[in-house]
Amino acid sequence: MALIELTDVVGGYGGAPILNGVNIAIEQSDIGVIVGPNGAGKSTTLKAIFGLLKVHSGSIVYDGRTVTNWLPDRLVPVGLSFVPQEKNVFTSMSVEENLEMGAFIRKDDFSATLASIYDMFPPLKDKRRQPAGELSGGQRQMVAMGRALMSQPKLLMLDEPSAGLSPRYVGEIFEQIVKVNQAGVGILMVEQNARQALAFASKGFVLAGGKNSFTGTGRQLLDDPDVARSFLGG
Amino acid sequence: MTELIFFINQVVISGVVLGSIYALGAIGVTLIFGILRFAHFAHGDMMTMGAFIAFLLAMGCAALGIVTPIPTGFLVLPLAMAIAAVIALGIDKGFYAPLRKRGARPVTLLIASIGVTLMIQGLIRLFFGAGSWSFFDYGETKTIMRIDTSAIGSTRPLVFTEPQLLMVIVTIVAVVALHLFLTRSKFGKAMRAMADNADLAQVSGINTQLVVRITWLIAGALACAAGTMLALDVSLKPDLAFNIVLPIFAAAIVGGLGQSYGAIAGGFLIGFAETLAVFNWTVVLRPLAGLLPEGMMLPANLALVPTEYKLTVAFVILVVTLLVRPTGIFKGASS
């Protein structure tokens, strides 16, 4: 059974729908990457899963239960976590406080998780008392991912984690995403660096005009001449 | 030395008292703005209401013959704060929450809060009339403390009242408690998170509804403390705090909207600026009068502004702050 399965999801912010029938299925062992041209509804798909916009029809089933139009405060406790593309840290709060906010829904002792985040992103440990707003773009992205992992999710969704990062950090962030996946967290991410991301993706979804145009393994998408021509720049 | 003591009596003590009241009021305004993004105009009247709650409780104590070593107003303050906090929550549930649910814009909420202002004032007038009341009309006296300062060569004593002393203690306790809440507790941090980035707070699974309720409880309780202290210092009337709601907003904006520490700093800044502006410098300068050339005299009143224009000082500071540093001292929201 899929960890999360979207079936013919149609939705938008009111007015004309942006998603016109998206189908996505991810196992907990998968890294799913959504690629496609601007305005294809990639980020919107993640937001629809996370209850940030209205789903008009279709269904979203997570871990055996229908979670269509659930709000984040119900989704986070059952194991979903989301890293938005922009404004994804609390700039006035310290790095450690940012991570604590990720563990807000937890009632148990989360110090072990905190330690594992610092192991994963060593630069954060030195800066844990520093306001997150003073960090560099790459380190902010680490804080954002760390915050999302503090709730010990089963599915981590990332909206363009490499946007605006220097090539050095892009590689580092992708490496960490693969590591998180190996630790047993399903990944569903939207990525502009399509070629690079599809190389390590186990599933790839090409969206265009708010619906799937290609679905396959990352390898299949990279090798498909049509996909290559239309979305990956030849 | 006499002049220094006079200065302390007139400026430092009054400034601390006024600053404490402004600060506690401004914290509530800034917290509500930080979480709900609207200017809660009825905050002054929540202060007045809190003062009347404390007054009723104090009268109840007097009727029961309870005699206390400190002014009863302070003794009943914790209970009054609890009641005011619950009423503040009720006001939100009754008026603001339904508007928010319909996606009302901040300006709609601001107008609604002006309506709440009129309702609270109307209700108070209905029950207590338009006249003024005092905590000290029912057997208690306002103890005036005079500290002899002849040891340092002053002929004037240091003068302050018992409520003023207690007021400073209450403010310190409230500010320290708020600081610990915001920096140590889970919900305090969640409040800061929501003020910082409400969308991300929601995405993190923070129960934003609960944070809103906690905000109202704190704002209501602090408003009650500020109102009661103001009433103990002067007297109680239906427009007690309505008259100072504008300097309180000025304090919150000068400090940086949404910044609790900014509100405290802004409150004291405006409190001191007002007392300094109306201070008569002639008294302090009198020892230097001999240095003036023949035929020149110190005028009888050398205050920067007459007392009746005290409130304008807050706005001068506000305008200057907005021109020089639009986000306030502590870099709050720029709106």
Side-chain angles (χ1 to χ4, degrees):
Chain A
M1 191 181 59
L3 179 62
I4 191 151
E5 187 162 9
L6 281 70
T7 313
D8 299 323
V9 169
V10 175
Y13 297 96
I18 303 167
L19 306 178
N20 297 304
V22 175
N23 290 284
I24 283 174
I26 291 279
E27 307 292 331
Q28 193 155 359
S29 57
D30 275 329
I31 296 181
V33 176
I34 306 174
V35 297
N38 285 332
K42 306 186 295 288
S43 300
T44 315
T45 302
L46 294 190
K47 286 177 185 161
I49 297 173
F50 219 65
L52 300 175
L53 65 92
K54 191 99 187 124
V55 173
H56 304 312
S57 68
S59 71
I60 301 170
V61 176
Y62 165 79
D63 209 12
R65 60 188 126 188
T66 306
V67 297
T68 319
N69 288 325
W70 277 29
L71 290 173
D73 60 345
R74 285 177 80 190
L75 292 168
V76 178
V78 298
L80 272 86
S81 212
F82 178 48
V83 182
Q85 184 189 345
E86 286 173 321
K87 294 188 180 167
N88 52 18
V89 297
F90 299 109
T91 50
S92 65
M93 299 174 82
S94 73
V95 168
E96 187 145 314
E97 283 172 336
N98 266 272
L99 298 178
E100 282 173 30
M101 288 299 104
F104 185 84
I105 52 128
R106 289 178 61 176
K107 299 198 165 41
D108 56 336
D109 180 21
F110 53 77
S111 51
T113 318
L114 194 63
S116 72
I117 303 288
Y118 286 141
D119 283 344
M120 191 184 288
F121 303 114
L124 298 189
K125 187 160 193 176
D126 304 328
K127 306 206 168 183
R128 63 187 198 274
R129 305 252 170 267
Q130 211 169 313
E134 292 175 3
L135 268 48
S136 71
Q139 289 169 344
R140 276 189 195 215
Q141 194 61 40
M142 292 177 190
V143 174
M145 259 181 80
R147 181 201 52 76
L149 288 170
M150 284 297 289
S151 59
Q152 292 186 311
K154 287 190 221 163
L155 177 67
L156 177 67
M157 301 194 293
L158 302 115
D159 192 356
E160 302 208 17
S162 74
L165 298 188
S166 65
R168 187 173 73 93
Y169 273 122
V170 173
E172 202 169 308
I173 288 284
F174 283 171
E175 238 170 73
Q176 293 304 340
I177 290 171
V178 172
K179 270 192 204 156
V180 168
N181 177 248
Q182 281 162 353
V185 180
I187 305 276
L188 181 60
M189 59 192 265
V190 167
E191 201 32 75
Q192 287 283 10
N193 284 328
R195 233 169 235 292
Q196 219 176 332
L198 285 174
F200 63 79
S202 56
K203 287 212 176 114
F205 307 89
V206 181
L207 294 193
K211 53 176 125 185
N212 297 54
S213 61
F214 293 94
T215 304
T217 64
R219 196 71 253 159
Q220 282 170 340
L221 258 58
L222 282 175
D223 293 342
D224 188 305
D226 286 337
V227 175
R229 195 172 345 99
S230 34
F231 302 113
L232 305 176
Chain B
M1 275 305 129
T2 307
E3 289 75 19
L4 177 70
I5 297 300
F6 181 75
F7 181 79
I8 292 175
N9 282 341
Q10 295 286 312
V11 175
V12 179
I13 292 174
S14 319
V16 168
V17 166
L18 200 57
S20 301
I21 293 163
Y22 285 173
L24 290 189
I27 291 171
V29 166
T30 226
L31 286 178
I32 294 169
F33 186 89
I35 299 296
L36 297 169
R37 301 278 141 185
F38 84 102
H40 185 231
F41 198 73
H43 208 72
D45 300 282
M46 284 194 1
M47 288 168 65
T48 315
M49 187 184 66
F52 273 97
I53 293 169
F55 181 61
L56 278 179
L57 292 173
M59 282 209 302
C61 285
L64 292 172
I66 299 170
V67 183
T68 56
I70 59 166
T72 325
F74 280 101
L75 199 77
V76 298
L77 189 57
L79 182 58
M81 282 167 75
I83 296 172
V86 172
I87 294 178
L89 197 59
I91 290 175
D92 181 56
K93 268 240 148 51
F95 301 105
Y96 306 131
L99 286 171
R100 280 201 304 277
K101 205 167 276 172
R102 289 165 181 230
R105 286 178 305 152
V107 66
T108 312
L109 287 163
L110 168 69
I111 303 291
S113 77
I114 294 174
V116 171
T117 287
L118 298 174
M119 279 167 46
I120 295 176
Q121 278 191 38
L123 276 174
I124 292 172
R125 287 204 171 88
L126 195 65
F127 288 104
F128 295 90
S132 68
W133 301 74
S134 170
F135 277 89
F136 300 99
D137 284 346
Y138 302 89
E140 276 185 359
T141 48
K142 198 185 271 192
T143 314
I144 296 173
M145 303 191 171
R146 289 190 176 80
I147 296 174
D148 184 37
T149 53
S150 54
I152 56 164
S154 163
T155 54
R156 272 174 201 271
L158 204 57
V159 184
F160 53 88
T161 66
E162 192 184 5
Q164 287 176 334
L165 178 68
L166 289 168
M167 182 183 297
V168 173
I169 295 169
V170 168
T171 306
I172 293 170
V173 170
V175 166
V176 170
L178 181 76
H179 170 74
L180 291 177
F181 172 74
L182 288 175
T183 54
R184 302 284 163 84
S185 78
K186 181 173 170 176
F187 275 99
K189 288 178 193 176
M191 251 174 94
R192 282 165 54 216
M194 197 175 157
D196 182 309
N197 188 337
D199 291 337
L200 190 60
Q202 200 199 358
V203 163
S204 302
I206 291 172
N207 185 339
T208 49
Q209 298 301 317
L210 190 53
V211 174
V212 168
R213 288 200 282 276
I214 293 172
T215 307
W216 281 107
L217 288 174
I218 294 174
L222 291 180
C224 172
T228 307
M229 291 180 350
L230 181 61
L232 281 160
D233 192 39
V234 286
S235 67
L236 198 54
K237 45 187 201 262
D239 58 356
L240 171 79
F242 177 71
N243 293 328
I244 61 163
V245 72
L246 292 174
I248 284 174
F249 267 97
I253 295 167
V254 165
L257 270 174
Q259 302 288 331
S260 313
Y261 306 110
I264 297 165
F268 280 98
L269 179 74
I270 291 195
F272 272 103
E274 284 188 1
T275 50
L276 265 177
V278 298
F279 179 65
N280 183 1
W281 293 93
T282 304
V283 182
V284 175
L285 296 175
R286 205 166 283 150
L288 306 173
L291 302 175
L292 285 175
E294 201 70 27
M296 263 183 84
M297 291 230 297
L298 274 172
N301 191 347
L302 245 182
L304 277 172
V305 291
T307 316
E308 52 270 42
Y309 292 114
K310 193 161 120 180
L311 281 185
T312 54
V313 177
F315 297 101
V316 172
I317 296 177
L318 177 61
V319 169
V320 171
T321 310
L322 289 178
L323 285 174
V324 178
R325 203 178 157 89
T327 52
I329 309 171
F330 281 70
K331 266 207 150 188
S334 56
S335 44

